[in-house]
């Protein structure tokens, strides 16, 4: 079984941009399932598409199954199954301290939000903290992309301001 172990942070500055090696535009939609169902996501990332099923989060870990699918199928699923539960973003890959950080710049209803994620081999794994990193939000479920598809960042009252 595949397991995703991930920590998520807000950003304190835009200094990460100078280290970004690549960027890909992503559109991802979420199927409407009632808890405690898994999260089911369809994503178009550049010229590829994926169907992903994620289990419930336990600490910072969760099971994850991802399969490449035809882009035309993903486009149809976005239209037919996801309704307005869509997240648009550009993902930048930023190497730092022996890891590759995924920095997401959100658009549409989540415009103004930037997050950085690091995937780890274990929950207790250590890593160097980049100077452009802000507060950790791994435990704040509002920042999961599934939650952002249902309750976008721009609709939050008192949303944290980012650099």
């Amino acid at each position: 079984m595949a397991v995703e172990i991930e920590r998520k942070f807000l950003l304190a500055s835009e200094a990460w941009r100078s280290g970004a090696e690549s960027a890909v535009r992503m559109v991802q939609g979420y199927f409407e399932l009632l808890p405690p169902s898994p999260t089911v996501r369809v994503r178009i990332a550049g010229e590829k598409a994926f169907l992903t099923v994620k289990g419930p989060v336990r600490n910072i870990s969760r099971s994850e199954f991802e399969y490449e699918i035809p882009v035309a199928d993903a486009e149809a699923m976005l239209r037919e199954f996801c309704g307005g539960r869509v997240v648009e973003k550009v993902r930048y890959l930023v190497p730092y301290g022996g890891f590759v950080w995924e920095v997401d710049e959100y658009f549409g209803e989540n415009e103004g939000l930037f997050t950085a994620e690091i995937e780890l081999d274990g929950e207790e794994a250590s890593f160097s903290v980049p100077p452009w990193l802000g507060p950790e939000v791994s435990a704040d479920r509002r920042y999961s992309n599934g939650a952002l598809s249902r309750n976008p960042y721009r609709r939050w009252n008192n949303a944290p301001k980012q650099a």
Side-chain angles (χ1 to χ4, degrees), residues 25-61:
R25 183 178 185 281
M26 296 182 173
V27 177
Q28 51 197 51
Y30 292 82
F31 291 44
E32 185 171 23
L33 301 172
L34 299 174
S37 298
T39 298
V40 179
R41 172 187 76 203
V42 61
R43 170 189 280 171
I44 299 174
E47 302 298 317
K48 294 186 174 188
F50 304 89
L51 183 64
T52 306
V53 180
K54 295 185 178 192
V57 177
R58 292 181 183 88
N59 297 318
I60 59 170
S61 300

Side-chain angles (χ1 to χ4, degrees), residues 49-119:
F50 304 89
L51 183 64
T52 306
V53 180
K54 295 185 178 192
V57 177
R58 292 181 183 88
N59 297 318
I60 59 170
S61 300
R62 69 194 306 188
S63 58
E64 178 183 61
F65 304 91
E66 185 167 79
Y67 307 95
E68 190 168 349
I69 61 173
V71 172
D73 288 1
E75 290 169 340
M77 287 181 205
L78 282 167
R79 280 191 312 273
E80 294 182 33
F81 303 136
C82 299
R85 296 174 305 281
V86 174
V87 172
E88 300 172 68
K89 62 187 178 180
V90 172
R91 172 163 289 167
Y92 301 88
L93 300 181
V94 184
Y96 185 88
F99 288 92
V100 176
W101 290 80
E102 297 174 345
V103 175
D104 290 340
E105 177 179 6
Y106 294 84
F107 296 97
E109 286 296 302
N110 290 295
E111 188 168 351
L113 177 62
F114 291 80
T115 60
E117 298 176 355
I118 185 171
E119 292 206 13

